[in-house]
Amino acid sequence: MTLLQELESRLAAALTATLGEPSSAAVTPAADLRFGDYQSNAAMVLAKQRKTNPRALAQEIIDHLDLSGLATADIAGPGFINFRILPTAYAAHTAALIRDPRLGVPATGTGQTVVVDFSAPNVAKPMHVGHIRSTIIGDSLARIARFLGFHVIADNHIGDWGTQFGMILHGWKTQLEPAALDADPIQELVRIYRAVNAEIKNDASLLETCKAELVRLQAGDPENLAIWQQCIDVSKRGLQKIYDRLDVKFDHWLGESHYNERLPGLVEEFLQKGIAKESNGAICIFSDDSKPLEEDPFKVHKEGGWTDNPAIIRKADGGFLYATTDLATLQFRMDEWKADQIWYVVGVPQQLHFRQLFDAAARWGKTGDFRHIAFGSILGDDRRLMKTRSGDNVGLIEVLEEAVERAAKAIAEKNPDLQGEEAAQIAEIVGIGAVKFAELSQGRLTDYVFSWDRMLALQGDTAPYLQYSHVRIRSIFRKLEGPFDPTTAEIHLNEDAEIHLARLLARFGEVLPTILDDFRPNLLANYVLELARAFHSYFEACPVLKAEEPIRSSRLALCDLTSRTLKQGLELLGIQVPERM
RNA sequence: GCACCCGUAGCUCAAUUGGAUAGAGCGUCUGACUACGAAUCAGAAGGUUAGGGGUUCGAGUCCCUUCGGGUGUACCA
């Protein structure tokens, strides 16, 4: 049980004793250490309901509160109850954490299956910086959910069946250079895609040719199918290289093409059930008029009036769309994987699509917890959204390479002893970590302008700062002669710096579950920063190896726990830690 | 037109979802290395939370409104 839960349960008992009935006893970490470690505003909330004096009520609650062996409590301000954890209680809790492989983290997700849909790049196009958010945030959320006990299925819903294949097929047939394809397949696919795109701008009729190629592909034409398969294969290999470097893993890569054969039947079912109907030759889902206009995703206000804003599931030309595939995908995940929840880590611009998707799914009888985990846009220098089609965006691979290069330069400068393969490996860990942490330490909804210096910073609140704190701890254990068993050490907490470290270590299990309340990995990023900062202060203030027993063992054990917690926190963010750097 | 995301220190971002005197990093300024690793630490300066109004014990957070930026709004994904 976390300290926060322990306080809540004791407060709940006191509230029942005071009021004669159970009442919600919410405790939060104190906003400011001057007020103690934890606080509750229960007295103020209850006093409002009962129209009594909050401070008097708080006193009454404290009179019924048994905090023996755990904390002290007092009243402050308008009626806050502030709790101060006893150093002995922190010591006991720390000792328990040292013996706990889960580091005090409760398994809140047991029995729940959640599908996490993230990254989902289009094939035959290189990933650019715009793809980084979904990939990194999604991966981190999947890791966190897994650690919290959820059965997680990470699914890369790649765009392997879109309209872009019309252009690629045409380009493949008219201007492919086989030598270039051998040398760098993705590069060549991109080249022909862009070339066709450019041609279309001059000759609109070409668009029809491309559409015809796409229709042939969708009809199962063997030649087009073979070309398509070859494109998919080389693209997947290219993507896998990036995922390997990012240390991102998927359980499945079920792209759009996986759902092809289900689409016609799905549209028929929607027609039969009356959820969709024909309009201007297309099959559309319209509003069921059960919602107020403003909340209805199938209505839109335009030029002074409300009009329909349907989701099209079959085009007038017979083709299927994004919405069709997503409905089929949702069904598959519910039926085949028995998903309780599906998390879609996709940008804000697609919000309307997901509102429509979830609404349509509900009318279809698919009940589950579906979440669009939206994130803000990465903007270009012109402060406008980076467009996938423009083609001149910074490539993801370039960002990673530049990051590693900068890290290598820093290593050469700060620790020239590191050489060769070892230095290269550390540069990889540090550089990639910096990119990931830059992304994860920020609120997901914030838009930002892409900047090399911002994404690749190695100073300040960055991954290298965190990794360095781990290196410092390891350094202590390298110098330590003989074995050390932290589970047998007695914990003594005297200095402010070590009490503060213990305070933060106790919070790991409190912070982690709250991340999934609103899908905010930045809370974990903030936490590990605080922990690392606390460790660095402790490191300066409290000698470990030079201390006398039993303090020495106590401090060693604290270092060991810090190292484990830090490493675990970073692992949940997808960031690795080197032994030296 | 309408909807959604956003506006916080010079810059880049936080703020435990309605809590106490709004916090970090970068940059600026002062100090600390013959070291348990200075990629560090201790400290200083920096704010009318875009403007205005409201709700209440209490608002960066909720409501109304004005301004500014971004995105979306029927056959792309």
Side-chain angles (χ1 to χ4, degrees):
Chain A
M1 199 189 272
T2 64
L3 290 175
L4 190 143
Q5 287 169 330
E6 181 76 39
L7 284 169
E8 282 187 337
S9 100
R10 298 210 197 182
L11 180 61
L15 288 178
T16 307
T18 309
L19 305 168
E21 56 181 344
S23 171
S24 105
V27 174
T28 58
D32 190 313
L33 288 179
R34 279 170 309 190
F35 304 127
D37 298 305
Y38 295 89
Q39 62 184 33
S40 175
N41 56 15
M44 292 187 293
V45 174
L46 291 168
K48 190 176 211 168
Q49 286 167 11
R50 283 150 201 267
K51 301 191 195 305
T52 59
N53 182 306
R55 285 189 65 104
L57 183 60
Q59 187 55 57
E60 234 181 299
I61 294 167
I62 287 182
D63 291 343
H64 288 92
L65 195 54
D66 173 19
L67 292 174
S68 56
L70 179 65
T72 58
D74 52 35
I75 305 168
F80 291 101
I81 300 175
N82 290 334
F83 300 99
R84 224 168 277 274
I85 302 292
L86 302 169
T88 51
Y90 270 134
H93 193 73
T94 302
L97 290 176
I98 287 168
R99 288 175 189 85
D100 180 4
R102 292 188 53 80
L103 298 162
V105 178
T108 53
T110 310
Q112 288 273 305
T113 295
V114 51
V115 174
V116 187
D117 179 326
F118 66 99
S119 197
N122 284 325
V123 302
K125 283 188 240 173
M127 285 207 272
H128 64 85
V129 283
H131 292 106
I132 207 171
R133 297 196 91 168
S134 174
T135 306
I136 291 176
I137 294 171
D139 178 56
S140 177
L141 290 173
R143 287 166 184 259
I144 292 165
R146 211 170 272 130
F147 193 69
L148 286 170
F150 288 87
H151 175 229
V152 173
I153 299 174
D155 186 15
N156 194 7
H157 191 64
I158 55 173
D160 58 1
W161 198 252
T163 319
Q164 81 267 27
F165 277 103
M167 286 182 252
I168 290 168
L169 284 164
H170 175 71
W172 185 287
K173 290 176 180 178
T174 56
Q175 49 181 297
L176 185 75
E177 289 173 17
L181 189 72
D182 283 343
D184 188 343
I186 294 186
Q187 192 65 42
E188 178 60 5
L189 289 181
V190 171
R191 188 189 67 78
I192 61 175
Y193 176 76
R194 285 186 190 157
V196 174
N197 235 331
E199 275 183 59
I200 287 172
K201 285 210 177 96
N202 299 327
D203 178 6
S205 72
L206 199 57
L207 195 59
E208 295 309 313
T209 313
C210 294
K211 277 189 185 168
E213 291 289 4
L214 182 67
V215 170
R216 263 202 294 280
L217 173 68
Q218 292 181 336
D221 174 76
E223 185 195 4
N224 281 10
L225 218 46
I227 296 173
W228 170 79
Q229 188 62 52
Q230 212 176 330
C231 292
I232 299 303
D233 291 343
V234 299
S235 296
K236 278 189 176 175
R237 280 199 290 275
L239 290 170
Q240 188 59 53
K241 270 187 206 164
I242 296 186
Y243 291 132
D244 285 345
R245 286 191 84 172
L246 287 172
D247 193 21
V248 169
K249 293 184 184 69
F250 295 96
D251 298 299
H252 300 279
W253 290 56
L254 297 187
E256 293 171 340
S257 67
H258 181 258
Y259 301 95
N260 278 339
E261 66 275 19
R262 298 164 190 265
L263 304 183
L266 186 147
V267 173
E268 285 311 314
E269 188 185 342
F270 270 65
L271 281 169
Q272 263 175 27
K273 292 192 168 159
I275 310 170
K277 62 182 184 188
E278 187 273 335
S279 167
N280 295 332
I283 307 300
C284 308
I285 302 171
F286 288 96
S287 167
D288 63 358
D289 294 325
S290 65
K291 292 183 187 58
L293 286 168
E294 308 78 50
E295 290 169 28
D296 190 336
F298 298 99
K299 295 283 189 195
V300 67
H301 191 278
K302 220 167 203 179
E303 278 130 39
W306 291 91
T307 60
D308 285 312
N309 179 39
I312 297 171
I313 56 174
R314 195 173 75 200
K315 293 192 282 187
D317 70 7
F320 303 105
L321 290 136
Y322 190 30
T324 331
T325 318
D326 265 5
L327 283 164
T329 306
L330 185 143
Q331 178 186 37
F332 178 86
R333 289 166 175 171
M334 299 300 286
D335 294 351
E336 298 291 318
W337 290 341
K338 311 292 179 205
D340 298 297
Q341 304 185 26
I342 305 178
W343 301 345
Y344 296 86
V345 187
V346 181
V348 164
Q350 293 185 49
Q351 170 173 270
L352 179 61
H353 166 73
F354 284 104
R355 286 180 56 208
Q356 292 187 332
L357 177 68
F358 299 162
D359 190 277
R363 280 151 69 186
W364 194 20
K366 304 294 169 194
T367 51
D369 190 354
F370 309 129
R371 305 296 183 98
H372 175 207
I373 302 174
F375 51 83
S377 306
I378 303 183
L379 311 175
D381 286 333
D382 54 358
R383 281 207 56 82
R384 304 196 71 84
L385 188 65
M386 284 192 164
K387 289 284 183 196
T388 316
R389 307 241 169 110
S390 72
D392 50 2
N393 290 321
V394 179
L396 184 48
I397 198 84
E398 293 170 63
V399 172
L400 301 184
E401 265 159 22
E402 176 74 16
V404 172
E405 208 170 291
R406 292 192 189 196
K409 208 173 283 178
I411 290 166
E413 205 174 283
K414 293 171 198 277
N415 198 349
D417 290 348
L418 294 170
Q419 291 286 330
E421 185 61 21
E422 189 186 14
Q425 274 175 16
I426 294 167
E428 182 79 14
I429 291 173
V430 171
I432 303 281
V435 172
K436 286 189 163 191
F437 193 79
E439 187 56 65
L440 291 166
S441 58
Q442 152 175 223
R444 23 172 266 265
L445 287 168
T446 317
D447 292 350
Y448 64 85
V449 176
F450 174 78
S451 139
W452 290 98
D453 287 342
R454 162 210 172 81
M455 195 166 268
L456 307 183
L458 304 174
Q459 302 294 322
D461 283 354
T462 62
Y465 176 82
L466 300 162
Q467 291 164 327
Y468 181 64
S469 54
H470 182 260
V471 166
R472 271 181 142 182
I473 299 175
R474 299 316 309 160
S475 179
I476 294 174
F477 286 97
R478 267 199 302 275
K479 297 236 158 107
L480 178 68
E481 289 175 10
F484 174 73
D485 178 5
T487 61
T488 59
E490 274 180 50
I491 303 301
H492 300 270
L493 303 172
N494 301 309
E495 302 298 322
D496 286 348
E498 53 193 354
I499 291 172
H500 187 53
L501 191 54
R503 174 187 290 128
L504 288 173
L505 289 166
R507 244 171 233 176
F508 187 56
E510 298 168 2
V511 170
L512 223 43
T514 67
I515 292 164
L516 296 188
D517 291 348
D518 201 24
F519 306 102
R520 297 172 46 178
N522 69 310
L523 294 180
L524 178 55
N526 292 348
Y527 170 79
V528 288
L529 271 177
E530 256 192 290
L531 182 63
R533 226 174 264 138
F535 173 74
H536 282 304
S537 297
Y538 167 79
F539 184 90
E540 307 270 342
C542 302
V544 177
L545 294 174
K546 288 176 198 153
E548 301 288 334
E549 292 293 355
I551 301 298
R552 185 173 186 264
S553 289
S554 168
R555 288 184 176 170
L556 277 168
L558 206 51
C559 284
D560 184 71
L561 178 61
T562 304
S563 147
R564 280 169 59 209
T565 307
L566 208 48
K567 194 169 179 177
Q568 181 66 65
L570 285 168
E571 190 179 312
L572 295 176
L573 294 172
I575 295 171
Q576 299 176 301
V577 285
E579 289 290 305
R580 303 204 293 153
M581 63 189 279

